[in-house]
Amino acid sequence: MKKLSLISSALLVAASVSFSVPSFAQVTLTDADRARIEERKNRRTTLPGERVGRGVTRAFELYNEEKVDEALKVLLEIRGGNDFDNAFLARFIGNLYAQRDAKQAIRYLEQATKPDVLSFTDQASSLKLVADLQQMEGMHKDAIRNYEAWIRFTGENDPDVYLRIANSYYQLQDYKNVLVPIDNAIRYSRTPNKNHYMLKMGALYESRNYPKTVEVVETMVQLFPEERQFWVYLGNFYTLVEDYQKSLSAFQIAYNNGYLESEAELKMLGQMYANNNIPYKAAAIYEKYLKSGKIKKDRTMLTAIASNFQAAREFAKAAQYYGELAALTNEADAYRRQAMAFMAIQRYNDALKAFEATLARDSSNAGRVHMSMVEAYLNQGKLREAYASLQQAKRDSATARQANSYENYIREKARVKGINL
């Protein structure tokens, strides 16, 4: 595949796009918060009672032998003597259940974290694990609560945790609240992560904030220029704000890089050429991929090709595709349009055949069709045939007046030439 320089691609878009890098609200901790976290980290380690310690050791041995049920049985039979023992036990039980029964794991892990007596590391990991399990179970409000508790407890700005919070809000269809955590995920990531931008794009799109959606995707193609789908997104989203010129620019870059693959994407490129008053290129793109089989040959596509060639004044091509449309649909209007295209390039015999085919299929606009045939016959100097068609046009109230105005002209023309009508 021939590759356009990615730097060149970005510059081409930059010529018509004003990029902006989003700014994010600074997440700060007060001195009191930092002191509290440091005090919690340095709190003296508590050890479980002897009975709890022996039971946990035995359970751990069984777990290492892949005897999870037996390990759980040992732990569930132990009764701790104080809050720490009970929290310590609940954490081990929750960790074992996490592999087989998420709801039970959540139950025990919340028991373990509630009194806040575990070691700093164990408390932090348990808060995060219970949130992960709740998110997995679709308990998104609870997951958000525990992820936020983890942030307050640790003081850490983990982009993955912010992403998970944002994703839970997204699953709740609370798109507005997706933005702050996903912005923090972007801010605290060491390197740009396309999943962060995808989620932000989705939230803004679902909120129908299309201008901001466009801004995000502009940044995405700048950061990840080799992601073909992002260029397609950009082209499509420009159409939502009716900026068809920029949409065409994005689709052209995608096309030049070989990024347009699906039928819908190729059709959109053609549509953007048409929307930007470049009908020949629209028709040529449609025609190329119709012939290759990437675009399905149907009524809509044949009409698009023919009408764009007609708008580009490529009347022979237009007549060809109106003919294919007529053969496919057997519709009178397709034959009429083909006839008018033939008229534009003075192929009057072909036009007359198409007009006859029109009349054979639909007589509701017979007067107008006969008047067009009058014009074709006159251009060939066939006065008798023109006069006969004129008489047919006079029968239609929609064209009777126009036909009467032509009658004296044709009679005089015939008289001068000595033709008996």
Side-chain angles (χ1 to χ4, degrees):
M1 178 179 65
K2 184 179 179 181
K3 285 274 188 180
L4 184 68
S5 164
L6 294 172
I7 294 175
S8 298
S9 298
L11 290 174
L12 282 171
V13 171
S16 60
V17 175
S18 175
F19 285 114
S20 61
V21 178
S23 60
F24 307 106
Q26 178 70 39
V27 178
T28 59
L29 292 174
T30 66
D31 289 341
D33 291 329
R34 295 183 187 280
R36 172 185 54 78
I37 292 168
E38 285 304 310
E39 183 277 328
R40 184 65 175 82
K41 284 182 179 178
N42 296 324
R43 186 184 297 177
R44 190 178 66 177
T45 302
T46 303
L47 296 175
E50 184 178 351
R51 180 175 53 181
V52 172
R54 285 200 307 268
V56 169
T57 299
R58 176 57 183 152
F60 192 71
E61 291 171 351
L62 291 167
Y63 172 77
N64 284 336
E65 296 172 7
E66 299 184 358
K67 297 177 180 179
V68 178
D69 289 336
E70 291 85 343
L72 277 169
K73 184 178 179 182
V74 169
L75 294 173
L76 290 169
E77 290 175 351
I78 302 172
R79 293 293 178 268
N82 54 47
D83 285 347
F84 179 80
D85 282 355
N86 289 328
F88 191 79
L89 277 169
R91 175 176 175 269
F92 270 89
I93 294 169
N95 284 345
L96 290 179
Y97 270 128
Q99 303 178 38
R100 54 183 57 204
D101 189 335
K103 285 186 168 55
Q104 283 283 61
I106 290 166
R107 174 189 164 200
Y108 280 99
L109 288 168
E110 291 215 300
Q111 288 177 19
T113 56
K114 186 175 181 180
D116 189 14
V117 293
L118 296 171
S119 70
F120 185 88
T121 301
D122 288 350
Q123 180 76 2
S125 63
S126 297
L127 284 169
K128 195 170 184 181
L129 177 57
V130 73
D132 289 344
L133 291 168
Q134 286 167 333
Q135 187 173 67
M136 183 179 71
E137 289 295 299
M139 302 166 63
H140 294 292
K141 290 182 179 179
D142 293 319
I144 291 167
R145 171 174 56 81
N146 278 303
Y147 283 131
E148 290 179 344
W150 180 88
I151 293 171
R152 288 192 299 273
F153 182 79
T154 64
E156 294 182 23
N157 291 303
D158 185 330
D160 183 64
V161 170
Y162 284 123
L163 174 63
R164 289 169 183 267
I165 293 172
N167 187 57
S168 281
Y169 277 122
Y170 191 91
Q171 296 303 319
L172 292 167
Q173 299 182 10
D174 187 353
Y175 303 118
K176 183 178 180 182
N177 279 321
V178 170
L179 300 179
V180 170
I182 202 60
D183 279 350
N184 282 327
I186 291 170
R187 178 172 185 256
Y188 290 111
S189 292
R190 292 184 178 180
T191 57
N193 185 321
K194 63 184 178 183
N195 292 325
H196 298 165
Y197 289 94
M198 287 281 287
L199 187 58
K200 184 174 184 179
M201 177 193 75
L204 288 166
Y205 174 77
E206 294 294 346
S207 302
R208 298 183 183 277
N209 189 341
Y210 300 137
K212 288 292 184 183
T213 305
V214 167
E215 288 180 14
V216 171
V217 185
E218 286 173 347
T219 302
M220 289 164 66
V221 298
Q222 188 180 34
L223 294 173
F224 313 102
E226 291 185 329
E227 286 291 331
R228 77 160 204 92
Q229 193 61 48
F230 293 172
W231 291 97
V232 177
Y233 289 153
L234 184 60
N236 281 323
F237 288 142
Y238 276 134
T239 67
L240 296 179
V241 294
E242 299 182 2
D243 195 334
Y244 300 119
Q245 186 174 355
K246 288 182 180 178
S247 178
L248 176 58
S249 295
F251 276 115
Q252 282 177 319
I253 290 171
Y255 181 70
N256 290 339
N257 279 283
Y259 293 162
L260 301 186
E261 298 175 352
S262 71
E263 179 181 31
E265 291 164 359
L266 293 166
K267 284 182 177 179
M268 184 59 77
L269 173 62
Q271 184 61 53
M272 286 307 101
Y273 277 124
N275 287 354
N276 282 277
N277 297 314
I278 313 174
Y280 182 81
K281 284 195 172 182
I285 284 290
Y286 291 147
E287 181 183 45
K288 177 179 179 179
Y289 291 102
L290 186 76
K291 288 181 177 178
S292 74
K294 283 195 171 184
I295 290 180
K296 182 181 178 182
K297 182 177 181 179
D298 58 18
R299 183 182 187 279
T300 300
M301 189 46 52
L302 289 172
T303 301
I305 296 174
S307 61
N308 277 287
F309 272 133
Q310 184 163 356
R313 304 187 66 78
E314 293 285 338
F315 296 112
K317 281 281 194 179
Q320 172 192 336
Y321 282 99
Y322 279 130
E324 290 192 30
L325 177 64
L328 179 70
T329 65
N330 200 35
E331 291 178 355
D333 189 62
Y335 283 104
R336 183 188 66 79
R337 289 174 182 270
Q338 183 190 37
M340 297 306 295
F342 280 135
M343 290 285 286
I345 52 177
Q346 300 179 13
R347 288 173 57 178
Y348 299 119
N349 284 334
D350 291 326
L352 287 163
K353 290 177 183 176
F355 283 134
E356 291 288 357
T358 304
L359 292 171
R361 286 158 179 81
D362 181 16
S363 60
S364 60
N365 291 308
R368 290 188 175 86
V369 173
H370 280 296
M371 284 305 300
S372 294
M373 293 175 71
V374 168
E375 182 183 350
Y377 283 127
L378 286 176
N379 282 316
Q380 291 180 307
K382 296 179 178 179
L383 297 179
R384 287 195 183 93
E385 290 84 349
Y387 188 75
S389 290
L390 191 71
Q391 300 311 305
Q392 296 295 324
K394 286 170 65 176
R395 295 180 182 180
D396 189 329
S397 59
T399 53
R401 186 173 179 178
Q402 182 185 9
N404 284 326
S405 69
Y406 267 77
E407 187 163 12
N408 288 336
Y409 169 78
I410 294 175
R411 283 181 178 277
E412 179 61 19
K413 196 91 170 173
R415 185 188 68 77
V416 171
K417 291 192 174 186
I419 296 173
N420 185 10
L421 298 176

